[in-house]
Amino acid sequence: MDTTQSSRRASPGALAAFARFVLCGGGLGLASSFAVAGLASWIPWALANALVTAASTLLGTELHARFTFGAGGRTTWRQHAQSAGSAGAAYAVTSAAMLVLHQVVAAPGAVLEQAVYLSASALTGVARFVILRLVVFARSQGAASAPSSERCQSRSRRRMEAVNGGRNRSEGSSHLLVSFSSAPH
């Protein structure tokens, strides 16, 4: 059995990934909304939202890497930072939505607050899915389907053979190939 092939997991298609994202992110979002509501009875709402957003972002990034996008393994610091950036934007949108609600309605009830918070969270969730799929975990998906190092090695081999008139190292030729191509590997 080839260990390289067995350690890679195929990334799910867009529809499957979105369904997984809704399951993980939606469940985490619902739990977060209740956590924010509970914490907001002891501390200011914006602080409660910030704390819950930070904790749920760390957990969500791990879940999405492993389950939603099939990246496999633990996430990198770069992925956590990129995910945190999108979560920061989500925090700003949910906070703005709640600020507007409290400006428009003098004393909104808990149900209205939850409806506004969950609506804003759903909108930012769709935006986060796109960012996570196309930016944060895009390299992981590309690496699972066609590793760039293999493409680069194959391209280099073809260039070497072209420069050496079809000869390669196995034919005993000793050479140094310097490529001035601007094409990325």
Side-chain angles (χ1 to χ4, degrees):
M1 179 198 292
D2 184 3
T3 58
T4 304
Q5 290 295 339
S6 64
S7 67
R8 288 189 207 142
R9 294 189 331 185
S11 61
L15 188 58
F18 187 72
R20 291 175 180 186
F21 182 83
V22 169
L23 179 68
C24 289
L28 199 53
L30 282 173
S32 295
S33 75
F34 288 109
V36 167
L39 278 175
S41 64
W42 293 322
I43 59 177
W45 189 91
L47 179 58
N49 190 25
L51 293 173
V52 170
T53 298
S56 65
T57 298
L58 289 172
L59 178 59
T61 301
E62 289 293 330
L63 284 172
H64 292 314
R66 295 173 187 213
F67 181 68
T68 303
F69 301 107
R74 297 204 60 189
T75 56
T76 64
W77 285 108
R78 177 190 59 81
Q79 290 168 324
H80 273 293
Q82 289 174 326
S83 181
S86 69
Y91 169 76
V93 169
T94 56
S95 292
M98 294 303 287
L99 180 66
V100 168
L101 171 66
H102 284 273
Q103 294 297 317
V104 173
V105 179
V111 173
L112 181 58
E113 283 182 333
Q114 286 294 301
V116 169
Y117 178 80
L118 290 173
S119 296
S121 293
L123 290 174
T124 59
V126 171
R128 286 197 73 217
F129 171 78
V130 172
I131 291 167
L132 292 175
R133 181 164 172 89
L134 298 179
V135 178
V136 177
F137 298 111
R139 289 183 187 144
S140 297
Q141 291 174 358
S145 62
S148 62
S149 63
E150 289 176 16
R151 288 192 310 263
C152 182
Q153 289 172 0
S154 175
R155 198 177 299 137
S156 294
R157 232 183 335 270
R158 287 192 308 269
R159 286 180 186 157
M160 228 183 314
E161 289 174 0
V163 169
N164 294 319
R167 293 185 319 268
N168 60 28
R169 282 196 166 181
S170 64
E171 295 171 350
S173 77
S174 163
H175 59 275
L176 173 64
L177 174 65
V178 178
S179 174
F180 295 102
S181 171
S182 62
H185 285 90

